[in-house]
Structure formats: structure tokens, C-alpha cells
Amino acid sequence: LDVRTIPHSIRHAAVLGALDGVDAGTSLVLIAPHDPLRLLTEIAEREPGAFDITYDERGPEAWHVRLTRVS
């Protein structure tokens, strides 16, 4: 999910909605223009322990974050 094209005002809601459709054992790769730490914190607070988070790429142009549902 490339959030760089999604308006900032609805970006978090779009990601959270997309994550609702991720089944256990599958992943969503988030592509962001910066390190999405605030969003990752929001995801962890919303569903504690539900996602394994790994970085496939760390800038400088884009951050690719793999969110794998574990539960």
C-alpha cells in the first residue's frame, strides 16, 4: 500500500482499514515518505501483538514496512 499518494488527512484511516483485511500469516507492505513511527505505535495500541513489523527499506526516498499478521 503506497500511502504517498493518499491525502495526509485520511492516510492512517486508510492503512488501518487495509490492515483489517490482512489474514493471519499474510503481510501488507506499507510504502511511506518517512519512517511511520506514529502510525506503527497506533497499530500496536489498536491490536497489541497482532503484527510482526519489519523494515524492507529505510529511506531516504521511501520507507517500506512489512506488517505480517501473526494473530
Side-chain angles (χ1 to χ4, degrees), residues 13-58:
V15 172
L16 295 174
L19 287 174
D20 287 341
V22 176
D23 294 325
T26 62
S27 301
L28 177 135
V29 176
L30 173 70
I31 302 170
H34 58 81
D35 194 348
L37 293 174
R38 204 172 100 224
L39 174 61
L40 298 177
T41 298
E42 187 175 341
I43 292 166
E45 290 173 351
R46 181 178 182 234
E47 296 186 71
F51 290 95
D52 180 38
I53 299 169
T54 56
Y55 285 80
D56 293 341
E57 185 177 328
R58 291 181 183 255

